[in-house]
Amino acid sequence: MTLGGFSLEQLAILPVSILAFIVLLTIIVFIHEYGHFSMARALGVRVDVFSIGFGKPLARWVDRKGTEWRIAMLPFGGYVKFFGDASAASNPRDDIAEENAGKAAGKPATTQFPRPADAEEAGAGMTEEEKRVCFHFKPVWARAAIVSAGPLANFLLAIVIFSGLLMTFGEIAWEPRVGTVVEGSAAAEAGFQAGDVVVSVNGRKVRKFDDLQMQTRLSAGETLRFEIDRGGSVFFIDAAPRRQEILDGFGNKVEVGVLGLRPIEGGYRFVTYNLPDAAAAAVGKVWNIIASTTKFLYRLALGQEDARQLGGPIKMAQYAGQSAVSGFEDTEAEGPAPAFFERLKVSVANFINLAAVVSVSIGFLNLLPIPVLDGGHLMYYAYEGIAGRPLGARAQAVGFRVGIIFLASFMLFVMWNDVTGLLSFNS
């Protein structure tokens, strides 16, 4: 039964999705902004405001170092405001800009001072002590460190989460041995046989069946070279995964490259980790997410991936809600139903695993060299470090306007994808 194009199941999970999305986003945003905040404090920059959310503050307090902490009405982001900023984008504040009004009249506001001389004039109304704690007067390496600390904090959060999950729950590792070759699939046509052990793909070692799937899902139409061990005889098979629509772990439709191989029945083991091994495996998981995202964007730019696969906040909320109730979904497993706390454990594990994945994605996307994102700031700082002077004010302003237009267009596009994806899923 549907209502307005949506199933009753989706409508029932809607409040959970909204709440789970807010919790998920709040955690990730807090860690991201705390990365900026902690690095700024370490490098002697005064922080005026640390806000979770935008708009009217619902709660606020001031710590002993003078930073005002806020929880705002709109929980869809956050920011850190440094001393001397006019806004959360780290633009110089009005009274600083006014000091340079004579020569800077008509120049667009930027997050950088265009020339060292202008920086001195802009700070004419500031004391030496104020300059020492002002973000805009820190050396370029310090500003770059503060900006990069946000995404790095996202990566660190994911490593901590993955490590905790691996030590607490462990993981199931399927051996890379072929159990079934799907009839008529790319694998069948290439000559794979049941019992084959996949040793590597394009030279990359395959240690478990998940490694094989990761290699093929983002390689639709791309010929891959598989190293095969068949009864002690090692040789190579070339095969190209085919694009196919499948259901992911939460039952959502996704298009990925499918080779047509299934693991051998019972060919798995349960792996538990100590702290060093868990940390190493967690770093590997973070790297795999970054590598997969990079490859997807590269293939997207070449037209080899469908842009409709891109998702936005609605899809994120959908996945957050699905992960939060995943342990309570009906299963077809035989025997007595799992106890409530067992179901709750599954839901919590899936939810915080999703938080780790999203944290890596947000950290990575923030490092893209797009003005207004952290990566855009770092791109300007790289120019300043190489050229010995900041990029011109007008060039920076044009870059920021282009960046804002690009991000606004991108958000509209992915939200359209989210809505049409939900409607097509129910059709």
Side-chain angles (χ1 to χ4, degrees):
M1 183 176 178
T2 61
L3 182 63
F6 295 95
S7 68
L8 291 181
E9 180 182 354
Q10 285 180 314
L11 292 174
I13 201 179
L14 181 61
V16 176
S17 297
I18 294 173
L19 179 60
F21 175 66
I22 291 174
V23 172
L24 180 75
L25 196 61
T26 299
I27 293 172
I28 293 172
V29 167
F30 175 82
I31 294 297
H32 180 94
E33 298 303 334
Y34 192 78
H36 293 311
F37 169 83
S38 58
M39 184 61 72
R41 279 270 181 95
L43 294 176
V45 174
R46 196 169 92 192
V47 182
D48 288 342
V49 178
F50 187 117
S51 179
I52 296 299
F54 297 98
K56 182 179 179 181
L58 300 176
R60 63 173 77 187
W61 63 94
V62 178
D63 66 20
R64 60 186 180 85
K65 291 190 176 181
T67 300
E68 180 181 300
W69 295 73
R70 298 176 184 172
I71 299 176
M73 184 177 293
L74 300 176
F76 304 113
Y79 63 90
V80 173
K81 182 174 178 291
F82 302 118
F83 171 69
D85 291 351
S87 70
S90 294
N91 297 310
R93 73 187 189 204
D94 292 340
D95 62 332
I96 295 178
E98 286 172 2
E99 294 292 334
N100 199 30
K103 293 186 178 180
K107 290 184 179 180
T110 70
T111 59
Q112 301 286 301
F113 296 112
R115 295 187 302 276
D118 284 345
E120 294 176 7
E121 294 172 7
M126 300 176 71
T127 66
E128 288 302 314
E129 178 61 30
E130 287 176 328
K131 288 180 181 179
R132 280 195 292 270
V133 297
C134 181
F135 173 83
H136 301 286
F137 288 92
K138 290 294 180 180
V140 65
W141 68 264
R143 282 175 277 143
I146 292 169
V147 168
S148 60
L152 292 179
N154 284 130
F155 299 149
L156 181 59
L157 171 64
I159 292 172
V160 170
I161 290 176
F162 285 140
S163 298
L165 288 174
L166 291 171
M167 288 190 295
T168 304
F169 298 99
E171 68 175 355
I172 295 175
W174 288 84
E175 62 177 299
R177 184 181 297 275
V178 177
T180 304
V181 181
V182 178
E183 187 177 351
S185 66
E189 293 183 4
F192 282 87
Q193 295 181 10
D196 288 348
V197 175
V198 182
V199 179
S200 67
V201 181
N202 280 1
R204 293 185 61 180
K205 190 75 174 176
V206 173
R207 293 180 173 82
K208 51 188 178 180
F209 205 83
D210 285 350
D211 297 338
L212 174 62
Q213 291 179 321
M214 182 175 297
Q215 288 287 313
T216 57
R217 288 191 170 185
L218 281 175
S219 301
E222 178 183 341
T223 300
L224 304 176
R225 168 149 286 200
F226 298 84
E227 184 180 358
I228 304 299
D229 183 338
R230 181 177 294 169
S233 176
V234 179
F235 57 95
F236 294 91
I237 292 179
D238 293 336
R242 297 171 183 167
R243 185 177 303 282
Q244 184 176 322
E245 185 176 82
I246 65 171
L247 298 181
D248 64 18
F250 296 128
N252 304 299
K253 295 177 182 177
V254 293
E255 289 187 0
V256 296
V258 175
L259 194 61
L261 298 177
R262 294 173 183 164
I264 189 168
E265 185 175 353
Y268 65 87
R269 58 192 176 94
F270 186 76
V271 183
T272 55
Y273 292 81
N274 56 30
L275 179 56
D277 291 341
V283 170
K285 285 178 177 287
V286 170
W287 174 252
N288 285 337
I289 295 172
I290 294 173
S292 297
T293 305
T294 302
K295 184 172 183 180
F296 175 81
L297 294 176
Y298 175 74
R299 286 173 57 85
L300 185 65
L302 296 179
Q304 297 174 343
E305 292 291 340
D306 190 345
R308 290 174 296 181
Q309 295 286 86
L310 291 169
I314 297 176
K315 181 171 285 189
M316 190 190 300
Q318 177 186 353
Y319 275 95
Q322 290 171 335
S323 66
V325 301
S326 57
F328 296 90
E329 294 292 328
D330 293 333
T331 64
E332 297 179 357
E334 296 180 358
F340 172 81
F341 285 106
E342 289 298 316
R343 291 175 176 266
L344 181 62
K345 186 166 68 173
V346 171
S347 292
V348 170
N350 285 336
F351 180 75
I352 61 178
N353 182 77
L354 177 67
V357 174
V358 174
S359 185
V360 176
S361 299
I362 288 179
F364 174 82
L365 293 176
N366 264 283
L367 285 176
L368 293 178
I370 300 172
V372 311
L373 294 181
D374 292 334
H377 288 273
L378 293 174
M379 180 175 61
Y380 287 153
Y381 296 152
Y383 174 88
E384 183 177 347
I386 295 170
R389 65 182 186 280
L391 185 66
R394 192 163 299 280
Q396 289 190 47
V398 169
F400 278 108
R401 290 190 185 108
V402 171
I404 289 172
I405 293 171
F406 175 82
L407 286 181
S409 302
F410 177 78
M411 286 302 298
L412 289 173
F413 178 75
V414 295
M415 290 184 72
W416 174 257
N417 278 352
D418 289 350
V419 173
T420 55
L422 281 175
L423 293 176
S424 65
F425 181 79
N426 293 300
S427 60

